[in-house]
Amino acid sequence: MTLNDIFEESYSRAGAELRTGWDFKTARISLNLLTIEWASRGINLWTIEEGSVAMVQGQVEYTLPVDTIDLLDQVIRTGTGSNQTDINISRISVSTYSTIPNKLAQGRPIQVWINRQSGATEPVSGINYPTINVWPTPDQSSYYTFVYWRLRRVQDSGSGISTQDIPFRFLP
């Protein structure tokens, strides 16, 4: 269903009629607030996505997609295809990360601090992307891959032209 269809049906079920641009605008805002509430209540399984970051020797910080809410799980992957191995990497807090005396030590990464930043919905100049800091830093380039499963934001209704990022079973 398009957003127009969703809004017209919602008004019809409420016994009203969608008549003005203002009605459409407030319906779009209400739908955005509803999806924010769903995200606040727990994990939305349709917004879990796998991603990966190729690691570079000596690099501490890596950027995640801007619409990342949080990481649910993460591993360090070595090798490719049938020769790949996934090794657990522990998530640590900022206070634990801050107490590491030599943040530039190199080896196979075993810990990650996730800095979630602003939660912006799109890349904008001056917005800090969510990042990860790994420790120790990778001891070789193109050998380790940080593989993660992230919870992304539910896409908002934008200009009202696109189809909403909601599973069909939620529409009623």
Side-chain angles (χ1 to χ4, degrees):
M1 295 179 71
T2 66
L3 288 174
N4 285 341
D5 294 337
I6 293 170
F7 296 157
E8 286 175 6
E9 179 62 20
S10 298
Y11 270 79
S12 174
R13 287 182 179 202
E17 191 174 321
L18 185 65
R19 293 185 178 194
T20 67
W22 178 253
D23 292 338
F24 185 83
K25 181 178 180 179
T26 60
R28 187 169 39 90
I29 291 169
S30 294
L31 185 59
N32 287 339
L33 291 172
L34 180 63
T35 60
I36 291 168
E37 181 182 345
W38 289 343
S40 297
R41 288 184 180 208
I43 296 173
N44 302 311
L45 297 179
W46 73 93
T47 63
I48 296 174
E49 298 175 344
E50 183 178 344
S52 64
V53 176
M55 307 200 89
V56 178
Q57 182 176 359
Q59 184 174 334
V60 174
E61 185 177 84
Y62 298 87
T63 302
L64 297 171
V66 71
D67 62 346
T68 300
I69 293 175
D70 202 359
L71 297 188
L72 302 175
D73 215 344
Q74 57 278 327
V75 296
I76 293 294
R77 179 169 292 162
T78 59
T80 59
S82 61
N83 293 327
Q84 78 181 28
T85 303
D86 288 350
I87 304 162
N88 286 335
I89 182 169
S90 300
R91 182 173 179 162
I92 58 174
S93 66
V94 64
S95 58
T96 301
Y97 182 76
S98 69
T99 62
I100 295 172
N102 183 0
K103 292 175 184 60
L104 299 178
Q106 293 189 13
R108 178 181 57 83
I110 59 171
Q111 295 179 323
V112 62
W113 167 51
I114 302 163
N115 188 353
R116 299 186 318 169
Q117 295 291 328
S118 71
T121 58
E122 58 185 53
V124 179
S125 178
I127 296 291
N128 293 325
Y129 281 66
T131 60
I132 58 165
N133 288 42
V134 295
W135 186 85
T137 65
D139 57 0
Q140 44 190 313
S141 290
S142 302
Y143 181 72
Y144 302 111
T145 303
F146 182 80
V147 179
Y148 58 87
W149 291 265
R150 74 183 184 116
L151 182 63
R152 69 161 170 80
R153 282 192 60 170
V154 175
Q155 298 167 359
D156 67 18
S157 60
S159 62
I161 298 170
S162 61
T163 303
Q164 186 62 27
D165 182 23
I166 298 174
F168 73 94
R169 63 188 180 280
F170 279 33
L171 292 176

